[in-house]
Amino acid sequence: MSDSTENLMVVPSKKQKNNYQPNLITESRQMFTALEKNIVVMIINQLTIRYFEKSQPLFPNQNVEFLIPFAELSKSRNYSEIERAAKSLQLKQQGFAFTNEKGERYFKYMIPFPLVENLMSKGKMCLKITMFSGAVPYYTELGKTWTSYDYEVMRSLGSLYSKRVYEILMSHYRSDTFTYEVDHLRHILNVPETFKYFDFTRKCLDVANSEIKEKTGIEFTYEPVKKEGKRVTRLKFTKKTPLSQIESEVDASREYIQKMPIGEAVALAWQWFAGYTLNEAQKAAITDSSDKLETFLRIHTEVASGKRKNVKNATAYMVKSLGIENVKVKRKETTPKSTTPRRTGTPKAISSIIGTMSLFQPEE
């Protein structure tokens, strides 16, 4: 039991429309059932709210406790089902793995929710869940890449594969196409080893595609792009998103960007600068102005999502939109020595390097 209420979060004190989670969570292997996944989704929603309100790293080296009324978990008040989920949730493992540029493989496996119990609070039977302090950073440090998805849509999806594929689709919402190694995709979706390729596509991908299309309008196709003999080893996914969904996601991203701590917004801008040919003075003009920084992040999101169409030259479009076409690196004169002719030189550009906590990157 915690001696403080600071790390006790009651669900649902508030609800955030969209959940935000690190891509590391999206790409992790999750062994939850559909009901357990809904519990985790509710927990992430509360962490998202706390992140926006506090604008700082959450709960350093602390376990975090969540209080969830049974009524929030089961409309039919099926308490035996909730008890079964509670019993198995505290045993479920989550795995993170990646291979670095040197080919060295690293991994971490943990049980995020080691303690689950029920108790009566204000006349309501509740589930009290303790989140392991070592797992908290993996769920709260958004860093440079994150997944945003609609909270209610996620909860409404019935199939566990639909929930997981929906997460993956939303992590790639800026791209219409993306690829996955079949073995990696099966691994993170926790597909039974007994499933052949046909079972995997029919019972996992096709079921998810049908339900996601029904609930959101988003649909996808997939095709083999690499084989080893007759064995399909890589799939290419093509995603089709209705304009209304694009606008919804752009609005959600705008809301997130507006609430983002300034240091994290600057770090994100530096990451996205890689897609443009900007000089150092233009970069500085963007990061030194909160208005230009917010505009840069917003325009980038709208272009990347497809809301702004027919952008042929992203750099030219961006600098014109920001009014920084004529911003150039200033040449600085050096102080001349009395015995030498006066000359000028170009100083070395100095960039502010802002890092974010990078725990693990998803395996390619």
Side-chain angles (χ1 to χ4, degrees), residues 229-251:
K230 293 184 178 181
R231 180 172 173 264
V232 176
T233 59
R234 183 181 299 164
L235 291 173
K236 177 183 177 181
F237 290 82
T238 302
K239 177 166 55 71
K240 218 174 145 184
T241 307
L243 180 60
S244 59
Q245 181 67 26
I246 291 175
E247 291 176 345
S248 175
E249 290 308 315
V250 168
D251 289 344

Side-chain angles (χ1 to χ4, degrees), residues 3-59:
D3 293 330
S4 170
T5 59
E6 175 67 15
N7 64 338
L8 175 63
M9 307 184 72
V10 180
V11 180
S13 56
K14 295 180 183 178
K15 288 183 181 177
Q16 175 79 15
K17 182 182 185 303
N18 274 49
N19 272 13
Y20 291 88
Q21 66 189 35
N23 278 357
L24 179 64
I25 293 295
T26 305
E27 293 284 331
S28 68
R29 186 178 192 186
Q30 302 177 18
M31 301 180 183
F32 306 124
T33 65
L35 178 55
E36 291 165 2
K37 179 65 177 175
N38 273 353
I39 293 172
V40 175
V41 167
M42 295 173 78
I43 287 173
I44 291 173
N45 192 259
Q46 295 304 302
L47 290 173
T48 299
I49 293 170
R50 178 64 176 259
Y51 180 84
F52 283 156
E53 289 181 347
K54 296 293 183 180
S55 299
Q56 61 186 10
L58 305 178
F59 313 110

